């Protein structure tokens, strides 16, 4: 039964490949249309023969075209398309050909058979570029984006929000352990922006944090605390998206608010981190948080 299933799959695969080659051959831009060889040459010196068959050249031409078609389809899966519209990234290897991250409208698509391999390789490199047009992310063209004081991305100018533009990520503004391909480079996040947030004063200035204390088992404040930051985290390796959020609490007075929360999965571990801003915590108050640190 297994042999029969394998045989069926191989037959279907061969049929699909033959169909794609036949369709490419009917295209005026097909490579085989540039060939003018016919027939075959046979040579026999008595010990061994050599056959030069024009059909071999046509077979190779069809395989090259099939490769171009399949690469073009794979680029489409990665949201990269070839277009005649000048709104994308121009290719240096082809005139009036642009790589875009939004599927082109009818009439603007480029037939991959008309391109040379240099253009195809360049398009593969462009596939990892970061588009700045919101339309590439499924948003209406011209959408304006804003960032709230809590760091959330919104499409409306809410109170206290600031306008932002789409930009490529860097290792410093990816969460620690999070990885991403950005403009052809594989980056590993350092979480530096989260650490930097813990060193910012309430008035927006940046200063050196004079003290820090572990709060995993609870930390009793030796003095009144006008303002401070607490960083908490928790990890587990029970599978992607598993685990609970870190715990944070203050007993004995004071106020706090969560200003940042991140979840990510990396290297087989789930990580949950959060940053809290604390105000008016009195002497004697107990601050406790999962694997936490207090900065004040």
């Amino acid at each position: 039964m297994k042999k029969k299933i394998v045989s069926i799959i191989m037959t279907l695969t061969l049929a699909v490949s033959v169909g794609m080659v036949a369709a490419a051959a009917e295209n005026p831009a097909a490579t085989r249309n540039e060939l003018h060889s016919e027939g075959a040459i046979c040579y026999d010196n008595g010990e061994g023969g050599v056959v030069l068959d024009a059909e071999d050249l046509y077979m190779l031409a069809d395989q090259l075209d099939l490769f171009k078609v399949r690469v073009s389809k794979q680029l489409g899966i990665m949201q990269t398309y070839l277009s005649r519209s000048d709104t994308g990234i121009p290719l240096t290897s082809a005139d009036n050909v642009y790589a875009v991250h939004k599927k082109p409208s009818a009439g603007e698509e480029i037939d991959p058979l008309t391109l040379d391999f240099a253009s195809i390789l360049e398009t593969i490199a462009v596939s990892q570029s970061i588009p700045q047009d919101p339309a590439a992310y499924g948003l209406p063209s011209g959408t304006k984006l804003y960032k709230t004081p809590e760091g959330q991305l919104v499409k409306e100018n809410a109170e206290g929000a600031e306008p932002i533009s789409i930009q490529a990520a860097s290792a410093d503004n990816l969460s620690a352990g999070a990885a991403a391909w950005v403009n052809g480079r594989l980056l590993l996040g350092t979480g530096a922006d989260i650490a930097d947030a813990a060193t910012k004063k309430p008035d927006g200035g940046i200063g050196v944090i004079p003290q820090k204390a572990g709060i995993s088992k609870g930390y009793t404040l030796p003095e009144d605390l006008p303002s401070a930051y607490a960083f908490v985290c928790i990890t587990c390796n029970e599978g992607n998206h598993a685990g609970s959020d870190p715990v944070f609490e203050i007993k004995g007075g004071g106020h706090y608010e969560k200003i940042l929360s991140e979840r990510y999965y990396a290297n087989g571990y789930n990580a949950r981190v959060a940053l809290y801003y604390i105000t008016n915590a009195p002497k004697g108050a107990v601050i406790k948080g999962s694997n936490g640190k207090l900065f004040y």
Side-chain angles (χ1 to χ4, degrees), residues 36-101:
H36 303 289
S37 300
E38 295 182 5
I41 298 175
C42 299
Y43 171 75
D44 191 347
N45 64 359
E47 297 179 359
V50 177
V51 178
L52 301 177
D53 197 327
E55 284 302 315
D56 293 339
L57 299 179
Y58 284 90
M59 181 273 293
L60 291 174
D62 291 340
Q63 288 299 313
L64 290 175
D65 285 350
L66 181 60
F67 174 78
K68 290 182 179 181
V69 171
R70 286 179 171 172
V71 170
S72 179
K73 288 186 176 181
Q74 183 60 41
L75 285 169
I77 294 175
M78 297 187 293
Q79 289 186 277
T80 304
Y81 309 90
L82 293 167
S83 172
R84 299 193 184 282
S85 172
D86 59 1
T87 58
I89 300 174
L91 299 187
T92 59
S93 54
D95 293 333
N96 299 319
V97 177
Y98 300 84
V100 297
H101 292 288

Side-chain angles (χ1 to χ4, degrees), residues 198-200 207-212 229 294-296:
T199 66
K200 291 185 177 180
V208 177
I209 299 300
Q211 297 186 60
K212 67 178 179 179
Y229 288 92
L294 178 70
F295 299 88
Y296 68 100

